[in-house]
Amino acid sequence: MTAPDDAIPKPHHRGGKFQNPENEFVTKSLAEVLRWRWDASRRGLPPAPQAPIPCVAPDLAFLHANARAGRGMLPAVTWIGHATVLAQLGGITLLTDPVFSERASPVRFAGPKRHVPPGVALADLPHIDLVVISHNHYDHLDAQTVDALYAQTGGAPLFVVPLGLRDWLARRGIQQAVELDWWQTHQMPSPMGMIDVMLSPAQHWSARGLTDRMSTLWGGFAVLAPDCHLFFAGDTGYSRDFARLREHLAERQRPENGGGFDIALLPIGAYEPRWFMSNQHVNPAEAVKIHRDIGARRSLGIHWGTFELTDEALDEPPRSLARERSAAGLSNDDFFMLAIGETRRLPRRGANRDSGADGAHVSMSDENE
Ligand code: ZN
Ligand code: ZN
């Protein structure tokens, strides 16, 4: 793990807590929360979904064989639901923000309930080597799930979390954890060599209760393996952070080194009403801007279809994304959706310019940068 770089200014550290340096997060007043809830109930929001959320049976044979393949692993992403993605790259299997519980809530009897079961059941997961957690909101950090993963057969995964969350894990008896500040990197050995796991800035906030607002950090993760560069944005509003991320990795992601992120996992849901949500959650138009800002070869839209958290219909984000994608001149493959449970295999980094099965749209997205 690299030491903290004291040369990097830390405008996001504020008296033992954290803050977004450019667009300060101001907690909504009770009056604003009530106005949002009252408006939503008066207008009957969110509308019911027009169609069931697409789900498919997972390809467990592939996921398990790929997890054991070592250097022969094929980079692949599988959407489990909401912000939970099972990614296989660099010979390791990782989970982003694993939530497998029935509710995204501090209690089991109330709070947002999942509309769709996890795309892969906890008991069916291959061995997980790494868990990255973007922040402590209940739809991203779930105590029961974390405990179950810690107790998995074959040994606990490594947990990589933003500043402040190592203590939270330690209180649950989990020692195998690394916490990072923005721009810090943890190096993890893998069958293909070192994998860099870097925490990157995001425009968001944190809290699990009424008294711990902004006490732990939030962020996204760049996971850089020899065969695949993955970006997981966590929860975020739109900000300069993404242009900055591209600058930060410019040398590492020069075209001759394989170019930008091979896959970005970007949130596209939980954005209405804008007056309430825009400083914490992007809408699909802004997700497309992030895709462009970071120079991703392709992106997967996540953080939708699972928990009803806001005023847009559960199935509206992909429709809105489709409109924004064509307005931006992107193809379906440049910024795609998966069914819950579905796996997308990705070309190996460096093979991107080959005229392989995936070659056509990949070379198109090269020109978008
Ligand atoms: Zn959040
Ligand atoms: Zn969220």
Side-chain angles (χ1 to χ4, degrees):
M1 134 138 218
T2 54
D5 184 350
D6 292 327
I8 295 180
K10 296 190 170 60
H12 58 296
H13 287 234
R14 298 276 173 88
K17 296 199 171 193
F18 301 96
Q19 184 50 271
N20 300 295
E22 273 170 30
N23 183 4
E24 279 206 19
F25 188 79
V26 180
T27 306
K28 293 285 190 290
S29 68
L30 181 60
E32 288 170 306
V33 175
L34 293 175
R35 183 184 139 205
W36 168 35
R37 297 317 309 150
W38 193 75
D39 276 357
S41 90
R42 192 171 46 98
R43 296 163 59 201
L45 300 175
Q50 294 174 15
I53 303 300
C55 295
V56 297
D59 188 348
L60 295 179
F62 169 77
L63 295 178
H64 283 259
N66 206 30
R68 290 190 300 264
R71 295 181 58 82
M73 177 181 272
L74 298 172
V77 289
T78 303
W79 191 32
I80 309 273
H82 203 56
T84 310
V85 172
L86 184 144
Q88 300 188 299
L89 74 178
I92 67 160
T93 298
L94 70 91
L95 284 173
T96 62
D97 288 357
V99 175
F100 288 75
S101 296
E102 195 50 24
R103 290 184 193 273
S105 162
V107 290
R108 290 194 196 183
F109 56 86
K113 196 168 186 281
R114 45 185 339 130
H115 281 243
V116 183
V120 180
L122 255 180
D124 291 337
L125 288 173
H127 186 267
I128 303 298
D129 304 293
L130 170 67
V131 173
V132 295
I133 294 171
S134 65
H135 66 300
N136 71 356
H137 288 154
Y138 287 92
D139 59 321
H140 297 260
L141 174 59
D142 178 62
Q144 269 178 284
T145 302
V146 162
D147 290 352
L149 290 169
Y150 182 63
Q152 76 177 340
T153 328
L158 174 70
F159 290 83
V160 181
V161 295
L163 285 184
L165 286 175
R166 200 171 186 278
D167 273 356
W168 186 91
L169 291 169
R171 286 197 295 276
R172 308 194 69 79
I174 298 175
Q175 303 298 337
Q176 203 175 328
V178 169
E179 67 176 16
L180 300 176
D181 199 352
W182 286 351
W183 306 117
Q184 272 188 299
T185 297
H186 173 74
Q187 289 201 312
M188 181 176 179
S190 83
M192 290 188 207
M194 280 297 174
I195 296 181
D196 283 357
V197 183
M198 182 183 78
L199 186 72
S200 59
Q203 170 74 38
H204 202 60
W205 59 294
S206 71
R208 277 177 89 77
L210 297 173
T211 57
D212 65 343
R213 237 157 248 265
M214 317 306 260
S215 320
T216 64
L217 188 57
W218 51 91
F221 286 91
V223 181
L224 310 178
D227 61 337
C228 183
H229 283 192
L230 173 143
F231 177 59
F232 167 56
D235 268 356
T236 188
Y238 184 71
S239 73
R240 276 266 310 144
D241 291 326
F242 305 99
R244 217 172 270 135
L245 174 62
R246 188 179 192 167
E247 287 159 22
H248 192 86
L249 293 173
E251 194 57 37
R252 183 90 183 257
Q253 295 189 330
R254 288 161 70 98
E256 59 272 33
N257 299 335
F261 287 101
D262 300 280
I263 178 75
L265 314 175
L266 303 181
I268 60 163
Y271 51 84
E272 292 286 354
R274 295 310 286 151
W275 69 267
F276 195 99
M277 293 297 164
S278 68
N279 66 346
Q280 49 184 305
H281 291 155
V282 291
N283 62 12
E286 291 165 327
V288 166
K289 285 196 334 199
I290 295 178
H291 168 88
R292 284 256 160 98
D293 287 355
I294 62 175
R297 289 178 179 284
R298 59 188 78 74
S299 295
L300 166 64
I302 61 168
H303 203 260
W304 70 277
T306 316
F307 297 107
E308 207 164 62
L309 303 171
T310 49
D311 286 0
E312 83 276 8
L314 201 62
D315 61 343
E316 176 59 23
R319 285 194 295 270
S320 167
L321 180 73
R323 292 190 293 271
E324 298 300 338
R325 193 172 51 199
S326 35
L330 296 173
S331 77
N332 292 3
D333 289 319
D334 293 331
F335 202 145
F336 61 95
M337 297 293 137
L338 290 176
I340 288 180
E342 188 180 357
T343 297
R344 173 71 55 101
R345 294 157 173 78
L346 305 168
R348 286 200 175 94
R349 188 169 178 76
N352 279 302
R353 266 171 241 79
D354 294 348
S355 54
D358 239 316
H361 71 259
V362 171
S363 48
M364 268 175 58
S365 68
D366 282 350
E367 281 149 30
N368 287 328
E369 292 185 24

